[in-house]
Amino acid sequence: MADKDKEKDAAAEAEGEEVAAEPKKRSPIIFIVIGVVVALLLSAGIAIFVTTQIIAGAGGGHGDDGEIDRDHDPGVFIQLGDPKDGILVNVGGPRGGKFLKANIVLEMNPNKKSVINEDTKDLQPEARIKIMDMTMQFLRATKVEDFDAEKQADLKKQLKDAINAELGSSAVYDIYITSFLLQ
């Protein structure tokens, strides 16, 4: 009988070990599940952060240093010159003998009341005259070599700076050239 009691005790101990071992098996599973959930939440947070940074970078104009300027209101777009033909100007000085036909669109600061008419969202007459005069002077004085495609970003920045100097700081957010023919 002693042998039977020992066997029962051994069987009880074996069952006890299994019962004791069973919670140990659950603990690692719970930690794994919690770890996976935390990893998913962390990766979702990173994805949301990156996405919002990309979306924030997609809007806005370019600042004076070429960086994207995200801190301005949506601009008012104004085309210079004739609505159909744009601007036609002799470039390269009096002996240049080249003509430029271009459509230039300015993105203007809508908060500049001296420049933008609040009702019509168009240029004030005085501002239109100053902008056209400054643009024509700038283009006439520019050398033909400066109209190369590689130099176009610098050309736009110089024109923007010249117009902003005439109308006041931050009157022009950006300049877009929608057509360009140098002949």
Side-chain angles (χ1 to χ4, degrees), residues 1-12:
M1 260 198 73
D3 289 335
K4 286 185 180 181
D5 287 336
K6 288 181 184 178
E7 287 177 14
K8 285 182 183 179
D9 288 341

Side-chain angles (χ1 to χ4, degrees), residues 27-106:
S27 296
I29 292 174
I30 291 173
F31 287 127
I32 291 172
V33 169
I34 290 172
V36 168
V37 169
V38 168
L40 287 174
L41 289 174
L42 184 63
S43 63
I46 291 170
I48 289 170
F49 175 76
V50 170
T51 303
T52 56
Q53 293 301 314
I54 290 172
I55 290 172
H62 297 282
D64 291 338
D65 57 358
E67 293 294 319
I68 293 178
D69 179 13
R70 297 176 188 94
D71 299 329
H72 67 70
D73 297 329
V76 176
F77 290 87
I78 305 293
Q79 181 176 346
L80 297 183
D82 184 57
K84 182 179 174 186
D85 294 328
I87 294 176
L88 180 63
V89 63
N90 179 353
V91 296
R95 295 189 182 114
K98 298 279 185 178
F99 291 94
L100 172 67
K101 182 178 177 183
N103 283 323
I104 299 174
V105 179
L106 305 178

Side-chain angles (χ1 to χ4, degrees), residues 3-26:
D3 289 335
K4 286 185 180 181
D5 287 336
K6 288 181 184 178
E7 287 177 14
K8 285 182 183 179
D9 288 341
E13 284 181 45
E15 286 179 21
E17 288 176 5
E18 289 177 12
V19 172
E22 196 171 310
K24 290 180 184 175
K25 288 182 183 176
R26 288 183 192 162

Side-chain angles (χ1 to χ4, degrees), residues 145-156:
E145 301 85 41
D146 292 336
F147 288 105
D148 289 342
E150 299 86 34
K151 297 179 181 179
Q152 202 163 45
D154 189 44
L155 188 73
K156 288 171 31 175

